Coordinates of all heavy atoms in Angstrom, one line a residue:
A1 N 0.9 -1.2 0.0 CA 0.0 0.0 0.0 C 0.9 1.3 0.0 O 1.9 1.2 0.6 CB -0.9 0.0 1.2
E2 N 0.4 2.3 -0.6 CA 1.1 3.5 -0.6 C 1.2 4.1 0.8 O 0.1 4.2 1.5 CB 0.4 4.5 -1.6 CG 1.3 5.7 -1.9 CD 0.6 6.7 -2.7 OE1 -0.2 6.3 -3.6 OE2 0.8 7.9 -2.6
L3 N 2.3 4.6 1.2 CA 2.4 5.2 2.6 C 1.8 6.6 2.5 O 2.0 7.3 1.6 CB 3.9 5.3 3.0 CG 4.6 3.9 3.3 CD1 6.0 4.2 3.6 CD2 3.9 3.3 4.5
S4 N 1.1 7.0 3.6 CA 0.7 8.3 3.7 C 2.0 9.2 3.8 O 3.0 8.8 4.2 CB -0.2 8.5 5.0 OG 0.6 8.3 6.1
N5 N 1.8 10.5 3.6 CA 2.9 11.4 3.7 C 3.5 11.4 5.1 O 4.7 11.3 5.3 CB 2.5 12.8 3.3 CG 3.7 13.8 3.3 OD1 4.6 13.5 2.6 ND2 3.5 14.9 4.0
A6 N 2.6 11.3 6.1 CA 3.2 11.3 7.5 C 3.9 10.0 7.8 O 5.0 10.1 8.5 CB 2.0 11.4 8.5
A7 N 3.4 8.8 7.3 CA 4.1 7.6 7.5 C 5.5 7.7 6.8 O 6.5 7.2 7.3 CB 3.3 6.5 7.0
K8 N 5.5 8.3 5.7 CA 6.9 8.4 4.9 C 7.8 9.4 5.8 O 9.0 9.1 5.9 CB 6.6 9.1 3.6 CG 7.9 9.2 2.8 CD 7.6 9.5 1.3 CE 8.8 10.0 0.6 NZ 10.1 9.3 0.9
I9 N 7.3 10.4 6.3 CA 8.2 11.3 7.2 C 8.7 10.5 8.3 O 9.9 10.5 8.7 CB 7.4 12.6 7.7 CG1 6.9 13.4 6.5 CG2 8.2 13.4 8.7 CD1 5.9 14.5 6.9
F10 N 7.8 9.7 8.9 CA 8.2 8.8 10.1 C 9.3 7.8 9.6 O 10.3 7.7 10.3 CB 7.0 8.1 10.7 CG 7.4 7.3 11.9 CD1 7.4 7.9 13.1 CD2 7.8 6.0 11.8 CE1 7.8 7.2 14.3 CE2 8.2 5.2 12.9 CZ 8.2 5.9 14.2
N11 N 9.1 7.2 8.5 CA 10.0 6.1 8.0 C 11.4 6.8 7.7 O 12.4 6.2 8.0 CB 9.5 5.5 6.8 CG 8.4 4.5 7.2 OD1 8.3 4.1 8.3 ND2 7.8 3.9 6.2
D12 N 11.4 8.0 7.2 CA 12.6 8.7 6.7 C 13.4 9.3 7.9 O 14.6 9.4 7.8 CB 12.3 9.8 5.7 CG 11.8 9.3 4.4 OD1 11.9 8.0 4.2 OD2 11.4 10.0 3.5
N13 N 12.7 9.7 9.0 CA 13.4 10.5 10.0 C 13.4 9.9 11.4 O 14.1 10.3 12.3 CB 12.7 11.9 10.1 CG 12.9 12.7 8.9 OD1 13.9 13.3 8.7 ND2 11.9 12.6 8.0
C14 N 12.5 8.9 11.6 CA 12.3 8.4 13.0 C 12.5 7.0 13.1 O 13.0 6.4 14.2 CB 10.8 8.7 13.4 SG 10.2 10.4 13.0
A15 N 12.2 6.2 12.1 CA 12.2 4.7 12.2 C 13.6 4.2 12.5 O 13.6 3.1 13.0 CB 11.6 4.1 10.9
S16 N 14.7 4.9 12.2 CA 16.0 4.4 12.5 C 16.1 4.1 13.9 O 16.8 3.2 14.3 CB 17.0 5.4 12.0 OG 16.8 6.7 12.5
C17 N 15.5 4.9 14.8 CA 15.5 4.7 16.2 C 14.2 4.1 16.8 O 14.1 3.5 17.8 CB 15.8 6.0 17.0 SG 17.5 6.6 16.6
H18 N 13.1 4.4 16.1 CA 11.7 4.1 16.6 C 11.0 3.1 15.7 O 9.7 3.2 15.6 CB 11.0 5.4 16.7 CG 11.4 6.4 17.8 ND1 11.4 6.1 19.1 CD2 11.9 7.6 17.6 CE1 11.9 7.1 19.8 NE2 12.3 8.1 18.9
I19 N 11.7 2.2 15.1 CA 11.0 1.2 14.2 C 9.8 0.5 15.0 O 10.1 0.1 16.1 CB 11.9 0.3 13.5 CG1 11.2 -0.6 12.5 CG2 12.7 -0.6 14.5 CD1 12.0 -1.0 11.3
G20 N 8.7 0.5 14.4 CA 7.6 -0.2 15.0 C 7.0 0.5 16.2 O 6.3 -0.1 17.0
G21 N 7.5 1.7 16.4 CA 7.0 2.4 17.7 C 7.9 2.1 18.9 O 7.5 2.4 20.0
G22 N 9.0 1.4 18.6 CA 9.9 1.1 19.7 C 11.0 2.2 20.0 O 10.8 3.4 19.5
N23 N 12.0 1.8 20.6 CA 13.1 2.7 20.9 C 14.4 1.9 21.0 O 14.5 1.1 22.0 CB 12.9 3.6 22.1 CG 14.0 4.7 22.3 OD1 15.1 4.6 22.0 ND2 13.5 5.8 22.8
I24 N 15.3 1.9 20.0 CA 16.4 1.1 20.0 C 17.5 1.6 21.0 O 18.4 0.8 21.3 CB 17.1 0.9 18.7 CG1 17.6 2.2 18.0 CG2 16.1 0.2 17.7 CD1 18.6 1.9 16.9
L25 N 17.4 2.8 21.4 CA 18.5 3.3 22.3 C 18.1 3.2 23.8 O 19.0 2.9 24.6 CB 18.8 4.8 22.0 CG 19.4 5.1 20.6 CD1 19.6 6.6 20.3 CD2 20.7 4.4 20.5
I26 N 16.9 3.6 24.1 CA 16.4 3.5 25.4 C 15.1 2.7 25.4 O 13.9 3.2 25.2 CB 16.1 4.9 26.1 CG1 17.4 5.7 25.9 CG2 15.7 4.7 27.5 CD1 17.3 7.0 26.6
P27 N 15.2 1.3 25.6 CA 14.1 0.4 25.2 C 12.8 0.7 25.9 O 11.7 0.4 25.3 CB 14.7 -0.9 25.6 CG 16.2 -0.8 25.6 CD 16.4 0.6 26.0
Q28 N 12.8 1.3 27.1 CA 11.5 1.5 27.8 C 10.8 2.8 27.3 O 9.6 2.9 27.3 CB 11.7 1.6 29.3 CG 12.5 2.8 29.8 CD 13.9 2.6 29.8 OE1 14.5 1.8 29.1 NE2 14.6 3.3 30.7
K29 N 11.6 3.7 26.6 CA 11.0 5.0 26.1 C 10.5 4.8 24.7 O 11.0 5.4 23.8 CB 12.0 6.1 26.3 CG 12.2 6.4 27.8 CD 13.0 7.7 27.9 CE 13.1 8.2 29.3 NZ 13.8 9.4 29.5
T30 N 9.5 4.0 24.5 CA 8.9 3.7 23.2 C 7.9 4.8 22.9 O 7.7 5.8 23.7 CB 8.1 2.3 23.3 OG1 7.0 2.4 24.1 CG2 9.0 1.2 23.8
L31 N 7.2 4.6 21.8 CA 6.2 5.5 21.3 C 4.8 4.9 21.5 O 3.8 5.3 20.9 CB 6.4 5.9 19.9 CG 7.8 6.4 19.5 CD1 7.8 6.9 18.0 CD2 8.2 7.5 20.4
K32 N 4.8 3.9 22.4 CA 3.5 3.3 22.7 C 2.8 4.2 23.8 O 3.5 4.9 24.6 CB 3.7 1.9 23.2 CG 4.5 1.2 22.1 CD 4.5 -0.3 22.1 CE 5.1 -0.8 20.8 NZ 5.7 -2.0 20.8
K33 N 1.5 4.0 23.9 CA 0.7 4.9 24.8 C 1.1 4.8 26.2 O 1.3 5.9 26.8 CB -0.8 4.5 24.6 CG -1.7 5.5 25.3 CD -3.1 5.2 25.1 CE -4.0 6.3 25.8 NZ -5.4 6.1 25.5
E34 N 1.4 3.6 26.7 CA 1.8 3.5 28.2 C 3.1 4.2 28.4 O 3.2 4.9 29.4 CB 2.0 2.0 28.5 CG 0.8 1.1 28.3 CD 0.4 0.9 26.8 OE1 1.3 0.9 26.0 OE2 -0.8 0.8 26.5
A35 N 4.1 4.1 27.5 CA 5.3 4.8 27.7 C 5.2 6.4 27.5 O 5.8 7.1 28.3 CB 6.3 4.3 26.7
L36 N 4.4 6.8 26.5 CA 4.2 8.2 26.4 C 3.5 8.8 27.7 O 3.9 9.9 28.1 CB 3.3 8.5 25.1 CG 4.0 8.1 23.8 CD1 3.0 8.3 22.7 CD2 5.3 8.9 23.6
L37 N 2.5 8.1 28.2 CA 1.9 8.6 29.5 C 2.9 8.6 30.6 O 2.9 9.6 31.4 CB 0.8 7.7 29.8 CG -0.5 7.8 28.9 CD1 -1.5 6.7 29.2 CD2 -1.2 9.2 29.2
K38 N 3.8 7.7 30.6 CA 4.8 7.6 31.7 C 6.0 8.6 31.6 O 6.4 9.2 32.5 CB 5.3 6.2 31.8 CG 6.1 5.8 33.0 CD 6.2 4.3 33.2 CE 7.1 3.9 34.3 NZ 7.2 2.5 34.3
Y39 N 6.5 8.7 30.4 CA 7.8 9.4 30.2 C 7.7 10.8 29.5 O 8.6 11.6 29.6 CB 8.8 8.6 29.4 CG 9.2 7.2 30.1 CD1 8.7 6.0 29.5 CD2 9.8 7.2 31.3 CE1 9.0 4.8 30.1 CE2 10.1 6.0 31.9 CZ 9.7 4.8 31.3 OH 10.0 3.6 31.9
L40 N 6.7 11.0 28.7 CA 6.7 12.2 27.9 C 5.9 13.4 28.6 O 4.7 13.2 28.8 CB 6.1 12.0 26.5 CG 6.1 13.2 25.6 CD1 7.5 13.6 25.3 CD2 5.4 12.8 24.3
A41 N 6.5 14.4 29.0 CA 5.9 15.5 29.8 C 4.7 16.0 29.1 O 4.7 16.2 27.8 CB 6.8 16.6 29.9
N42 N 3.6 16.1 29.8 CA 2.3 16.6 29.3 C 1.5 15.8 28.2 O 0.6 16.3 27.7 CB 2.5 18.1 28.7 CG 3.0 19.0 29.8 OD1 2.5 19.0 30.9 ND2 3.9 19.9 29.4
Y43 N 2.0 14.6 28.0 CA 1.3 13.8 27.0 C -0.2 13.6 27.4 O -1.1 13.7 26.5 CB 1.9 12.4 26.8 CG 1.3 11.6 25.7 CD1 1.5 12.0 24.4 CD2 0.4 10.5 26.0 CE1 0.9 11.3 23.4 CE2 -0.2 9.8 24.9 CZ 0.0 10.2 23.7 OH -0.6 9.6 22.6
E44 N -0.4 13.4 28.6 CA -1.8 13.1 29.0 C -2.7 14.4 28.7 O -3.8 14.2 28.3 CB -1.9 12.7 30.5 CG -3.3 12.3 30.9 CD -3.2 11.5 32.2 OE1 -2.2 11.5 32.9 OE2 -4.2 10.8 32.5
Q45 N -2.2 15.6 29.0 CA -3.0 16.8 28.9 C -3.0 17.2 27.4 O -4.1 17.8 27.0 CB -2.3 17.9 29.7 CG -2.2 17.8 31.2 CD -1.1 16.8 31.7 OE1 -0.3 16.4 30.9 NE2 -1.2 16.4 32.9
E46 N -2.0 17.1 26.6 CA -2.0 17.7 25.3 C -1.1 16.9 24.4 O -0.1 17.3 24.0 CB -1.4 19.2 25.4 CG -0.2 19.3 26.3 CD 0.4 20.7 26.2 OE1 -0.4 21.7 26.2 OE2 1.6 20.9 26.1
S47 N -1.6 15.7 24.1 CA -0.7 14.7 23.4 C 0.0 15.2 22.2 O 1.3 15.0 22.1 CB -1.6 13.5 23.1 OG -2.7 13.9 22.3
I48 N -0.7 15.7 21.2 CA 0.0 16.0 20.0 C 1.1 17.1 20.2 O 2.2 17.1 19.7 CB -1.0 16.4 18.9 CG1 -2.0 15.3 18.6 CG2 -0.2 16.8 17.6 CD1 -1.4 14.0 18.3
Q49 N 0.6 18.1 21.1 CA 1.5 19.2 21.3 C 2.8 18.7 22.1 O 3.9 19.2 21.9 CB 0.8 20.3 22.1 CG 1.5 21.7 22.1 CD 1.7 22.2 20.7 OE1 0.8 22.2 19.9 NE2 3.0 22.6 20.5
A50 N 2.7 17.7 23.0 CA 3.8 17.2 23.7 C 4.7 16.5 22.7 O 6.0 16.6 22.9 CB 3.3 16.2 24.7
I51 N 4.2 15.8 21.8 CA 5.0 15.1 20.7 C 5.8 16.2 19.9 O 7.0 16.0 19.6 CB 4.2 14.1 19.9 CG1 3.6 13.0 20.8 CG2 5.1 13.5 18.9 CD1 2.6 12.2 20.1
I52 N 5.0 17.2 19.5 CA 5.6 18.2 18.7 C 6.8 18.8 19.4 O 7.9 19.1 18.8 CB 4.5 19.3 18.3 CG1 3.5 18.8 17.3 CG2 5.2 20.6 17.8 CD1 2.4 19.7 17.0
Y53 N 6.6 19.1 20.7 CA 7.7 19.7 21.5 C 9.0 18.9 21.5 O 10.1 19.4 21.2 CB 7.3 20.0 22.9 CG 8.2 20.7 23.8 CD1 8.3 22.1 23.7 CD2 9.2 20.0 24.5 CE1 9.3 22.8 24.4 CE2 10.1 20.7 25.2 CZ 10.2 22.0 25.2 OH 11.2 22.7 25.9
Q54 N 8.8 17.6 21.7 CA 9.9 16.7 21.7 C 10.6 16.6 20.3 O 11.8 16.6 20.2 CB 9.5 15.3 22.2 CG 10.6 14.3 22.0 CD 11.1 13.7 23.3 OE1 10.7 14.1 24.4 NE2 12.1 12.8 23.2
V55 N 9.8 16.6 19.3 CA 10.4 16.5 17.9 C 11.1 17.8 17.6 O 12.2 17.8 17.0 CB 9.3 16.2 16.9 CG1 9.8 16.2 15.5 CG2 8.7 14.8 17.2
Q56 N 10.5 18.9 17.9 CA 11.2 20.2 17.6 C 12.6 20.3 18.3 O 13.5 20.7 17.7 CB 10.3 21.4 18.1 CG 9.1 21.7 17.2 CD 8.3 22.8 17.8 OE1 8.1 22.9 19.0 NE2 7.6 23.5 16.9
N57 N 12.5 20.0 19.6 CA 13.7 20.2 20.4 C 14.6 19.1 20.7 O 15.7 19.3 21.2 CB 13.2 20.8 21.8 CG 12.4 22.1 21.5 OD1 13.1 23.1 21.2 ND2 11.1 22.0 21.7
G58 N 14.1 17.8 20.5 CA 14.9 16.6 20.8 C 15.1 16.5 22.3 O 14.4 17.3 23.1
K59 N 15.7 15.5 22.7 CA 16.0 15.3 24.2 C 17.1 14.2 24.3 O 17.0 13.2 23.8 CB 14.7 14.8 24.9 CG 14.8 14.7 26.4 CD 13.5 14.1 27.0 CE 13.7 13.9 28.5 NZ 12.5 13.3 29.1
N60 N 18.1 14.6 25.1 CA 19.2 13.7 25.3 C 19.7 13.1 24.0 O 20.2 13.9 23.1 CB 18.8 12.6 26.3 CG 18.4 13.1 27.7 OD1 19.1 14.1 28.1 ND2 17.4 12.6 28.3
A61 N 19.7 11.9 23.7 CA 20.2 11.2 22.5 C 19.4 11.4 21.3 O 19.7 11.1 20.2 CB 20.5 9.7 22.8
M62 N 18.1 12.0 21.5 CA 17.2 12.2 20.3 C 17.6 13.6 19.8 O 17.5 14.6 20.5 CB 15.8 12.1 20.7 CG 14.9 12.6 19.6 SD 13.1 12.1 19.9 CE 12.4 13.2 18.8
P63 N 17.9 13.7 18.5 CA 18.1 15.0 17.9 C 17.0 15.9 17.7 O 15.8 15.4 17.7 CB 18.7 14.6 16.5 CG 18.1 13.3 16.2 CD 17.9 12.6 17.5
A64 N 17.1 17.2 17.6 CA 16.1 18.1 17.4 C 15.8 18.2 15.9 O 16.7 18.0 15.1 CB 16.5 19.5 17.8
F65 N 14.6 18.4 15.5 CA 14.1 18.3 14.1 C 13.7 19.7 13.6 O 13.3 19.8 12.5 CB 13.1 17.3 13.8 CG 13.7 15.8 13.8 CD1 13.8 15.2 15.0 CD2 14.1 15.3 12.7 CE1 14.3 13.9 15.0 CE2 14.6 14.0 12.7 CZ 14.7 13.3 13.8
K66 N 13.8 20.7 14.4 CA 13.1 22.0 14.0 C 13.9 22.7 12.9 O 13.3 23.4 12.2 CB 13.0 23.0 15.2 CG 14.2 23.4 15.9 CD 13.9 24.4 17.0 CE 15.1 24.9 17.7 NZ 15.8 23.9 18.5
D67 N 15.2 22.3 12.7 CA 15.9 22.9 11.5 C 15.9 21.9 10.3 O 16.5 22.2 9.3 CB 17.3 23.2 11.9 CG 17.3 24.4 12.9 OD1 16.4 25.2 12.9 OD2 18.3 24.4 13.7
K68 N 15.3 20.7 10.5 CA 15.4 19.7 9.5 C 14.0 19.5 8.8 O 13.9 19.2 7.6 CB 15.8 18.4 10.1 CG 16.1 17.3 9.1 CD 17.0 16.2 9.6 CE 17.2 15.2 8.4 NZ 17.0 13.9 8.9
L69 N 12.9 19.6 9.6 CA 11.6 19.3 9.1 C 10.8 20.7 9.2 O 11.1 21.5 10.2 CB 10.8 18.3 9.9 CG 11.4 16.8 9.9 CD1 10.7 15.9 10.8 CD2 11.4 16.3 8.5
S70 N 9.9 20.9 8.4 CA 9.0 22.1 8.4 C 8.0 21.9 9.6 O 7.8 20.8 10.1 CB 8.2 22.3 7.2 OG 7.3 21.3 7.0
A71 N 7.4 23.1 10.0 CA 6.4 23.0 11.0 C 5.3 22.0 10.6 O 4.7 21.3 11.4 CB 5.9 24.4 11.4
Q72 N 4.9 22.1 9.4 CA 3.8 21.3 8.8 C 4.2 19.8 8.9 O 3.4 18.9 9.3 CB 3.5 21.6 7.4 CG 2.4 20.8 6.8 CD 1.0 21.2 7.5 OE1 0.6 22.3 7.5 NE2 0.2 20.2 8.0
E73 N 5.5 19.5 8.5 CA 5.9 18.1 8.6 C 5.9 17.6 10.0 O 5.6 16.4 10.3 CB 7.3 18.0 8.0 CG 7.3 18.1 6.5 CD 8.7 18.2 5.9 OE1 9.6 18.9 6.5 OE2 8.9 17.7 4.8
I74 N 6.4 18.5 11.0 CA 6.5 18.1 12.4 C 5.0 17.8 12.9 O 4.7 16.8 13.6 CB 7.2 19.1 13.2 CG1 8.7 19.1 12.8 CG2 7.0 18.9 14.7 CD1 9.6 20.2 13.5
F75 N 4.1 18.7 12.6 CA 2.7 18.5 12.9 C 2.2 17.2 12.4 O 1.5 16.4 13.1 CB 1.8 19.7 12.5 CG 0.4 19.5 12.8 CD1 -0.2 19.8 14.0 CD2 -0.5 18.9 11.8 CE1 -1.5 19.6 14.3 CE2 -1.8 18.8 12.1 CZ -2.3 19.1 13.4
D76 N 2.4 16.9 11.1 CA 1.9 15.7 10.5 C 2.5 14.4 11.1 O 1.8 13.5 11.4 CB 2.3 15.7 9.0 CG 1.5 16.7 8.2 OD1 0.5 17.3 8.8 OD2 1.8 16.9 7.0
V77 N 3.8 14.4 11.4 CA 4.4 13.2 12.0 C 4.0 13.0 13.4 O 3.8 11.9 13.9 CB 6.0 13.2 11.8 CG1 6.7 14.1 12.8 CG2 6.5 11.8 11.8
A78 N 3.8 14.1 14.1 CA 3.4 14.1 15.5 C 2.0 13.5 15.6 O 1.6 12.6 16.5 CB 3.4 15.4 16.2
T79 N 1.1 13.9 14.7 CA -0.3 13.4 14.6 C -0.3 11.9 14.3 O -1.0 11.2 15.0 CB -1.1 14.2 13.6 OG1 -1.1 15.6 13.9 CG2 -2.5 13.7 13.5
Y80 N 0.6 11.5 13.4 CA 0.8 10.1 13.1 C 1.2 9.3 14.2 O 0.6 8.3 14.5 CB 1.7 10.0 11.9 CG 2.1 8.6 11.5 CD1 1.3 7.8 10.7 CD2 3.4 8.1 12.0 CE1 1.7 6.5 10.4 CE2 3.8 6.7 11.7 CZ 2.9 6.0 10.9 OH 3.2 4.7 10.5
V81 N 2.2 9.8 15.0 CA 2.7 9.0 16.1 C 1.5 8.9 17.2 O 1.3 7.9 17.8 CB 3.9 9.7 16.7 CG1 4.2 9.2 18.1 CG2 5.1 9.5 15.8
G82 N 0.8 10.0 17.4 CA -0.3 10.0 18.4 C -1.4 9.0 17.9 O -1.9 8.2 18.8
Q83 N -1.7 9.0 16.6 CA -2.7 8.0 16.1 C -2.2 6.5 16.3 O -2.9 5.7 16.7 CB -3.0 8.2 14.7 CG -3.9 9.4 14.4 CD -4.0 9.7 12.9 OE1 -3.3 9.2 12.1 NE2 -4.9 10.7 12.6
Q84 N -1.0 6.3 15.9 CA -0.4 5.0 16.1 C -0.4 4.6 17.5 O -0.6 3.4 17.8 CB 1.0 4.9 15.5 CG 1.0 5.1 14.0 CD 0.5 3.9 13.3 OE1 -0.6 4.0 12.8 NE2 1.2 2.8 13.3
A85 N 0.0 5.5 18.4 CA 0.0 5.1 19.9 C -1.4 4.7 20.4 O -1.6 3.7 21.1 CB 0.5 6.3 20.7
E86 N -2.4 5.5 19.9 CA -3.8 5.2 20.3 C -4.2 3.8 19.7 O -5.0 3.1 20.4 CB -4.8 6.3 19.8 CG -4.7 7.5 20.6 CD -4.9 7.4 22.1 OE1 -5.8 6.6 22.4 OE2 -4.2 8.0 22.8
Q87 N -3.7 3.5 18.5 CA -4.1 2.2 17.9 C -3.2 1.0 18.3 O -3.4 -0.1 17.8 CB -4.1 2.4 16.3 CG -5.1 3.3 15.8 CD -4.9 3.7 14.4 OE1 -4.1 3.1 13.6 NE2 -5.5 4.7 13.9
G88 N -2.2 1.3 19.1 CA -1.3 0.2 19.5 C -0.3 -0.2 18.5 O 0.3 -1.3 18.5
W89 N 0.1 0.7 17.6 CA 1.1 0.5 16.5 C 0.7 -0.8 15.8 O 1.2 -1.8 15.7 CB 2.5 0.5 17.1 CG 3.0 1.9 17.4 CD1 2.7 2.5 18.7 CD2 3.7 2.8 16.6 NE1 3.2 3.8 18.7 CE2 3.8 4.0 17.4 CE3 4.1 2.8 15.3 CZ2 4.5 5.1 16.9 CZ3 4.8 3.9 14.9 CH2 4.9 5.1 15.6
Ligands
HEM1 C1 12.1 9.7 22.7 C2 9.4 10.9 18.7 C3 13.4 10.6 16.0 C4 15.8 8.8 19.8 C5 11.0 10.0 21.8 C6 9.7 10.3 22.3 C7 8.9 10.7 21.2 C8 9.8 10.6 20.0 C9 7.5 11.0 21.1 C10 9.2 10.2 23.7 C11 9.0 8.7 24.0 C12 9.0 8.4 25.5 O1 9.6 9.2 26.3 O2 8.5 7.3 25.8 C13 10.3 10.9 17.6 C14 9.9 11.2 16.3 C15 11.0 11.2 15.6 C16 12.1 10.8 16.4 C17 8.5 11.6 15.9 C18 11.2 11.7 14.1 C19 10.8 12.9 13.7 C20 14.4 10.0 16.8 C21 15.7 9.5 16.3 C22 16.4 9.0 17.3 C23 15.5 9.2 18.5 C24 16.2 9.6 14.8 C25 17.8 8.4 17.4 C26 18.9 9.0 16.8 C27 15.0 8.9 20.9 C28 15.5 8.7 22.3 C29 14.4 9.0 23.1 C30 13.3 9.4 22.2 C31 16.9 8.3 22.7 C32 14.4 9.1 24.6 C33 14.9 10.5 25.1 C34 15.0 10.5 26.6 O3 14.0 10.7 27.3 O4 16.2 10.5 27.0 N1 11.0 10.2 20.5 N2 11.6 10.6 17.6 N3 14.3 9.7 18.1 N4 13.7 9.3 20.9 FE1 12.7 10.0 19.3

């Protein structure tokens, strides 16, 4: 099937560390709902905005994307990650 634009952004920029919604560097800090609720600041209150913040700014070993992806691309990939988390990847 043809990948959506957001899925393509994810595959091109995120999947190297987060394939399948996992985390190859810090195994517990996945992109699954339980991990986002536990580790990502403000995910419970404002899920997409919390993901956008992390993608823009990075954290520790995760690089910042604000100079690499457009605001629209960051919004699209964050929405995709939020949807995938809700659906269980
Ligand atoms: C954490 C998204 C690219 C490495 C996270 C988290 C999100 C996220 C939402 C929080 C997960 C949690 O705390 O459970 C993304 C997206 C990416 C991307 C959407 C692409 C635009 C990458 C890449 C790497 C990476 C390329 C590796 C080079 C990490 C690491 C953490 C993390 C190490 C844990 C940070 C910490 O709390 O110390 N990512 N990520 N990410 N990501 Fe990414």
Side-chain angles (χ1 to χ4, degrees):
E2 190 183 328
L3 289 176
S4 71
N5 189 49
K8 182 167 161 43
I9 296 167
F10 185 87
N11 282 352
D12 290 350
N13 294 279
C14 321
S16 55
C17 295
H18 293 294
I19 186 148
N23 189 324
I24 65 162
L25 295 176
I26 305 187
Q28 69 274 24
K29 291 191 171 179
T30 70
L31 308 185
K32 305 201 170 151
K33 187 174 184 181
E34 301 71 30
L36 295 173
L37 287 168
K38 191 165 174 184
Y39 300 116
L40 183 62
N42 296 323
Y43 184 73
E44 190 162 15
Q45 295 80 9
E46 44 174 44
S47 54
I48 302 307
Q49 201 52 52
I51 299 169
I52 288 173
Y53 183 86
Q54 171 116 0
V55 174
Q56 285 176 329
N57 298 292
K59 186 180 176 188
N60 300 319
M62 175 168 156
F65 285 87
K66 63 176 181 297
D67 296 330
K68 190 166 182 225
L69 297 176
S70 69
Q72 183 69 53
E73 288 170 325
I74 291 174
F75 177 82
D76 289 351
V77 78
T79 302
Y80 172 81
V81 167
Q83 282 171 352
Q84 291 293 103
E86 287 302 318
Q87 293 167 14
W89 287 87

